[in-house]
Amino acid sequence: MTGPLRPRYGSSAMQVFTPRALLLTKLALVGVPLLAAAAVFAFRWSEAMPHARGAAVAQPIPFSHKHHAGDDAIDCRYCHAAVETSRTAGLPATSTCLNCHAQLFRGAPMLAPLHDSLASGRSLAWQRVHDLPDFVYFDHSIHVHKGVSCGECHGPVDQMPLTWRVAPLEMQWCLDCHRNPAPHLHPAGEVFSAARNHTVDLHRQQDLMRRLRIADRRRLTDCSTCHR
């Protein structure tokens, strides 16, 4: 005679957890790592965005874009010389500032750090107002060549006595533009302007899209476009 029958593995008699409990356990095993990754992502993003929107950032010299770009109408490229050819817009060298300030307001106390920089050979420690995390790829040159004006991202800097961040610089904000770039495009003569929304005519927007050869939306919103 054979011994008593034993229940097969996995039968209801041997099942410790109910199907619902097993499902919840699996979801927890997947969800907890995802939540941890999201927390790390948010922390790194906040670390890369130290300055709040709308708050002026303290600088070694209280540089006024309103005075230079607004009142005196100095072209952005005079100080940000690399913006058409490089990922970064670049910051002016001390010698660039001294093209004017070797004579103008030379004795002003607020310009003392500028003359100290010339004497010591150390660059001024300008603080970033707009900064992105290291895991985000952004290229200034491609944006300006595709008709995105300075004001689209930096806001009305020609009205800022001290510079602050206007845009949230969050991924969704970038994607909103990449999904529908037409309203944010400008003719070449309007790109280096702090003004926004020059282009309002739908036909003109579509014409700009064709002439500037804007990539299809699928490519613009592909993860690898901004995360390389």
Side-chain angles (χ1 to χ4, degrees):
M1 294 178 64
T2 59
L5 293 176
R6 296 181 178 179
R8 294 181 180 177
Y9 180 77
S11 68
S12 58
M14 294 292 292
Q15 191 167 351
V16 179
F17 298 106
T18 65
R20 180 183 177 84
L22 284 172
L23 177 61
L24 292 175
T25 301
K26 291 177 181 178
L27 289 175
L29 290 173
V30 174
V32 169
L34 288 177
L35 287 173
V40 172
F41 179 89
F43 175 76
R44 290 184 63 188
W45 187 276
S46 64
E47 286 292 297
M49 295 291 183
H51 305 300
R53 291 170 63 187
V57 179
Q59 301 288 358
I61 296 174
F63 181 88
S64 171
H65 277 87
K66 182 180 185 302
H67 172 70
H68 292 80
D71 300 340
D72 291 346
I74 297 175
D75 191 285
C76 304
R77 291 163 289 185
Y78 184 79
C79 296
H80 304 290
V83 70
E84 294 180 283
T85 58
S86 173
R87 284 186 58 187
T88 60
L91 289 170
T94 298
S95 58
T96 301
C97 304
L98 287 171
N99 284 338
C100 295
H101 289 296
Q103 300 296 326
L104 296 175
F105 307 109
R106 181 171 181 169
M110 72 170 62
L111 294 182
L114 180 64
H115 300 291
D116 291 343
S117 173
L118 177 66
S120 66
R122 291 191 298 271
S123 300
L124 289 167
W126 297 106
Q127 301 299 307
R128 283 185 175 274
V129 177
H130 301 78
D131 198 8
L132 292 172
D134 292 340
F135 53 81
V136 177
Y137 178 87
F138 179 85
D139 190 316
H140 273 84
S141 63
I142 188 63
H143 284 79
V144 298
H145 282 297
K146 293 298 184 180
V148 181
S149 76
C150 303
E152 286 291 336
C153 299
H154 296 288
V157 291
D158 59 340
Q159 300 172 30
M160 297 182 184
L162 295 175
T163 310
W164 59 83
R165 181 164 60 89
V166 173
L169 301 185
E170 297 170 350
M171 186 171 73
Q172 188 58 54
W173 178 77
C174 297
L175 283 173
D176 286 343
C177 184
H178 279 215
R179 289 180 180 129
N180 185 27
H184 306 280
L185 304 181
H186 306 263
E190 298 175 357
V191 168
F192 294 100
S193 167
R196 299 182 62 199
N197 299 324
H198 298 285
T199 305
V200 293
D201 180 75
L202 179 60
H203 176 74
R204 191 182 183 203
Q205 291 175 348
Q206 293 173 341
D207 181 58
L208 276 173
M209 289 281 288
R210 287 191 296 269
R211 288 194 289 112
L212 293 169
R213 298 179 182 179
I214 303 299
D216 63 87
R217 288 166 177 77
R218 181 176 179 180
R219 182 178 176 187
L220 288 175
T221 57
D222 190 277
C223 299
S224 63
T225 299
C226 301
H227 303 288
R228 301 184 178 184

